[in-house]
Amino acid sequence: MNILDEIVAAKRQEVATARTLRPEAVIRAAAEACNRPVHSLKETLANTPGGIIAEFKRRSPSKGFIHPGARIEEIVPGYAAAGASAISVLTDNPFFGGSADDLLHARRRTALPLLRKDFIIDEFQICEARIWGADAVLLIASVLSPDETLSLARYAHSLKLEVLLELHDANELCCLNKYVDVVGVNNRDLKSFSTDPARSFELVEQLPAETIKVSESGLSDPGVVRELKAAGFNGFLMGEIFMKEADPAQALARFMAEL
């Protein structure tokens, strides 16, 4: 069993446990009743020059803790002040050290679009995302069938949430559907966790021209980001390069200056 298989297996158990603690009918009703305005990730990336989706991440399965004492109350406002276009918040706890509280605290401290970054396999998690303050959810084609992707993306839209669909290769293009707002190309192999930005350059030409495109993971060189922008990418999801520093917001500000 590879890392991705382990994460998905743990996520299925996590969702099953959550259902015993909070009845599904209750959480669906709460999500459907939520009238909090949603900040569009799609429109923001289409209309801001930097396009950096700065990620809050304490640890990763491959590298362990990156920034164990990170305080979202400090880093999220700092990211916003440094010029981030949007913010990604890891909510997975066992593998990434995140939590629902991280997303809730982030929502109270910024009006930037917030992406719930997690391994979403069930509508229950999309309800959680709406309640916790997300504006968009991540769907990962590697762990979903085309039918599952369609169903989850449609349900996200019913709750006024946008969808970022993450692809890893051309075989996953079949997961694209009309409810996908943003397409991400993950440069990380989720089985080995190695990264290579070449994945983005290889896949971009096979994506619909009108699609808002995001390159994810393994980005640290401003020159490569400029090349990706020239190739057609609107956004760049980056976390470790900033989170490994003592002051992630300052690291983002330096990167933005180099761009």
Side-chain angles (χ1 to χ4, degrees):
M1 182 180 288
N2 58 46
I3 296 175
L4 181 59
D5 292 335
E6 290 181 25
I7 292 173
V8 173
K11 196 59 55 177
R12 294 191 189 285
Q13 183 58 52
E14 179 184 303
V15 172
T17 300
R19 277 197 169 92
T20 67
L21 299 174
R22 191 173 187 185
E24 184 160 355
V26 172
I27 196 169
R28 283 183 182 271
E32 291 166 6
C34 184
N35 59 6
R36 172 185 54 80
V38 173
H39 308 278
S40 174
L41 176 64
K42 178 180 179 179
E43 293 301 319
T44 298
L45 293 178
N47 295 291
T48 56
I52 302 296
I53 306 173
E55 187 159 87
F56 182 87
K57 177 170 69 172
R58 292 187 181 87
R59 69 183 302 269
S60 78
S62 59
K63 297 188 177 180
F65 276 102
I66 300 165
H67 197 142
R71 290 175 53 81
I72 202 156
E73 298 90 338
E74 299 170 356
I75 292 174
V76 164
Y79 274 162
S85 296
I87 294 173
S88 169
V89 180
L90 263 299
T91 55
D92 174 84
N93 180 261
F95 297 92
F96 292 90
S99 69
D101 283 344
D102 287 336
L103 192 50
L104 288 163
H105 284 303
R107 181 74 288 156
R108 296 185 189 114
R109 288 164 175 82
T110 185
L112 292 179
L114 294 180
L115 171 70
R116 181 187 181 184
K117 182 89 174 287
D118 211 317
F119 294 79
I120 291 179
I121 55 172
D122 196 284
E123 291 181 0
F124 192 94
Q125 296 164 286
I126 297 176
C127 291
E128 291 176 331
R130 183 68 168 115
I131 294 166
W132 296 347
D135 301 296
V137 293
L138 177 74
L139 298 182
I140 303 174
S142 294
V143 302
L144 300 167
S145 69
D147 286 345
E148 289 170 331
T149 306
L150 174 62
S151 178
L152 290 171
R154 183 193 295 121
Y155 186 67
H157 270 221
S158 77
L159 296 181
K160 300 182 172 61
L161 294 176
E162 292 187 342
V163 173
L164 192 165
L165 176 65
E166 178 178 292
L167 308 177
H168 293 82
D169 57 47
N171 293 327
E172 296 173 350
L173 289 168
C174 58
C175 286
L176 282 170
N177 61 70
K178 67 179 182 179
Y179 299 101
V180 170
D181 301 283
V182 179
V183 177
V185 178
N186 196 338
N187 301 310
R188 187 182 304 279
D189 184 323
L190 288 181
K191 296 181 179 178
S192 68
F193 271 68
S194 62
T195 59
D196 185 355
R199 286 176 178 266
S200 287
F201 288 108
E202 291 168 359
L203 199 53
V204 65
E205 293 183 0
Q206 299 184 62
L207 299 175
E210 68 278 8
T211 303
I212 299 298
K213 308 172 187 69
V214 173
S215 181
E216 311 172 22
S217 302
L219 303 176
S220 59
D221 183 344
V224 171
V225 171
R226 285 193 291 269
E227 290 175 11
L228 287 166
K229 186 178 284 289
F233 283 92
N234 311 88
F236 311 92
L237 198 157
M238 304 170 63
E240 190 171 315
I241 182 179
F242 308 134
M243 291 299 299
K244 68 181 181 180
E245 301 292 337
D247 187 338
Q250 189 177 72
L252 170 58
R254 290 196 301 268
F255 193 90
M256 294 289 292
E258 291 186 56
L259 277 181

